[in-house]
Amino acid sequence: MKKNLLALTCSILSFAAFSQQDSLLKNFKFRIDTYRTISFDAGGGSQYNKTKLPSSTHENSSSSGTIGAAYYTVQSTDNILLTKSGSIGSSFSFNNATSQSNTNKTRYFSVNPGLSVLNKWFSRNRFIELGIDGTGNYYSNKNVEAIAKSSESQYTVQLNTGIGIGRLENVTDMQNAIWLSKALETATSLSNKLSPTQLHELGRTITRANNTVYLMQENALSSFLQRLMHTCKEKV
């Protein structure tokens, strides 16, 4: 017997307010034209044991494994903020139990896909958002000797809509730039205090470095700091 159930839920319950006192943090814009990450994972294991008794011998063996992949991308401009993610995972196991009078073999397999898309459209100081979340789960369990099999599948879909005021900016890179400039001043590595324009450019350099490979991160930051120190010395 198979049953299908569809449920619709509507809710409006979110409100948040954020502020920054530093003018550099207020004006810093965190933008990523396109950022993507792809990850893979796999694992497995097995075990075996054998027990000898006067009347019979018991043997048990099992093996299991998992495999998965995930994808994440962000696109951030003045007009949109688009985030997309997807994942799929699978697990399986094999179990064999054998005795003098009985043999039992079971097989288990499952798949778990997931997808999430959310986009915000900005106009002046307001935005509207539209997104969808979907998850799935399928598993199959089979007893080979008894020729018995059970399976189940579950799916969920959620639609997200909303309107709001303002835009939450990620100012971590700008804050790091401010801390870095203060550390350089304390270490007397700079002959004079950085201007707001130079601090803003340092924050943008950190943002660009964080979205490149590791070797390019060091090159981008070191190149910018060298140019910055050279400029400061020229002004003295």
Side-chain angles (χ1 to χ4, degrees):
M1 180 181 293
K2 182 182 291 186
K3 294 182 178 179
N4 296 320
L5 178 63
L6 178 63
L8 298 176
T9 304
C10 298
S11 62
I12 301 175
L13 47 85
S14 178
F15 175 80
F18 301 88
S19 64
Q20 292 287 350
Q21 294 183 351
D22 195 301
S23 60
L24 283 172
L25 296 178
K26 287 181 180 180
N27 297 324
F28 186 73
K29 306 299 181 185
F30 182 77
R31 300 287 184 266
I32 306 174
D33 292 336
T34 303
Y35 173 76
R36 295 187 180 94
T37 60
I38 301 176
S39 61
F40 300 94
D41 63 86
S46 63
Q47 68 175 23
Y48 171 79
N49 61 74
K50 183 177 181 179
T51 304
K52 291 185 177 182
L53 300 174
S55 58
S56 64
T57 299
H58 297 275
E59 290 187 27
N60 297 283
S61 63
S62 65
S63 59
S64 62
T66 60
I67 188 171
Y71 173 80
Y72 177 75
T73 179
V74 177
Q75 184 179 0
S76 178
T77 69
D78 289 337
N79 299 321
I80 68 168
L81 177 59
L82 174 63
T83 58
K84 294 184 291 184
S85 63
S87 64
I88 185 168
S90 178
S91 61
F92 54 89
S93 64
F94 306 92
N95 298 279
N96 299 323
T98 304
S99 64
Q100 186 175 4
S101 59
N102 184 36
T103 299
N104 187 29
K105 297 181 180 181
T106 59
R107 305 290 183 262
Y108 174 84
F109 175 76
S110 70
V111 179
N112 307 97
L115 174 67
S116 178
V117 179
L118 179 64
N119 194 31
K120 293 184 179 181
W121 291 269
F122 295 92
S123 178
R124 295 182 181 179
N125 198 36
R126 296 176 177 83
F127 70 87
I128 60 173
E129 64 178 8
L130 178 64
I132 187 171
D133 294 322
T135 60
N137 177 38
Y138 169 81
Y139 82 86
S140 174
N141 195 28
K142 182 178 181 180
N143 190 312
V144 178
E145 302 301 321
I147 317 179
K149 181 179 180 180
S150 63
S151 62
E152 181 177 336
S153 58
Q154 299 175 344
Y155 306 95
T156 62
V157 177
Q158 178 177 313
L159 182 66
N160 304 310
T161 61
I163 58 175
I165 299 175
R167 177 168 182 157
L168 180 62
E169 300 286 351
N170 188 332
V171 297
T172 303
D173 295 335
M174 188 67 249
Q175 183 64 73
N176 288 334
I178 295 175
W179 288 335
L180 178 58
S181 68
K182 291 181 179 179
L184 292 174
E185 291 174 17
T186 303
T188 65
S189 297
L190 297 176
S191 55
N192 61 328
K193 189 175 181 180
L194 299 183
S195 67
T197 302
Q198 290 173 324
L199 276 173
H200 189 273
E201 181 59 26
L202 179 57
R204 293 300 299 149
T205 302
I206 295 175
T207 298
R208 289 191 295 270
N210 285 335
N211 291 288
T212 56
V213 296
Y214 179 75
L215 292 176
M216 294 179 64
Q217 291 182 13
E218 292 186 346
N219 293 336
L221 284 175
S222 62
S223 176
F224 178 81
L225 290 175
Q226 288 175 3
R227 288 188 287 107
L228 198 61
M229 293 178 184
H230 180 71
T231 302
C232 291
K233 288 179 181 180
E234 287 182 344
K235 289 182 178 181
V236 176

